[in-house]
Amino acid sequence: MGQLPESVDRDILDHRIVFAIKAIREVSDCTLHEALDAFVARYEELRRDRPDDFQLNREEYGRGFYS
């Protein structure tokens, strides 16, 4: 997976999961499964590098989202 646009990071930080995955698919021309993998990898990087930028903790972040 190549370089992702800044909008993906903003979407992840603002809990806009569907928008982040959609943007990943558009720029990477990948499958949904690949986009989900890329999303999780970038989410983990952001959690590690910018924990204070998240509005929700880990338990709350994915609540109600089913893929």
Side-chain angles (χ1 to χ4, degrees), residues 11-59:
D11 287 337
I12 291 171
L13 293 170
D14 291 339
H15 194 233
R16 294 189 304 252
I17 298 169
V18 173
F19 290 105
I21 293 169
K22 183 179 180 207
I24 292 168
R25 288 196 72 199
E26 288 173 354
V27 300
S28 302
D29 192 33
C30 62
T31 67
L32 179 57
H33 183 77
E34 292 168 331
L36 285 169
D37 289 345
F39 172 88
V40 169
R42 187 61 186 148
Y43 169 86
E44 291 300 332
E45 290 173 3
L46 289 171
R47 274 283 178 196
R48 182 189 66 233
D49 298 341
R50 299 171 56 183
D52 294 336
D53 290 341
F54 281 84
Q55 299 172 9
L56 301 171
N57 65 35
R58 283 184 181 275
E59 292 77 31

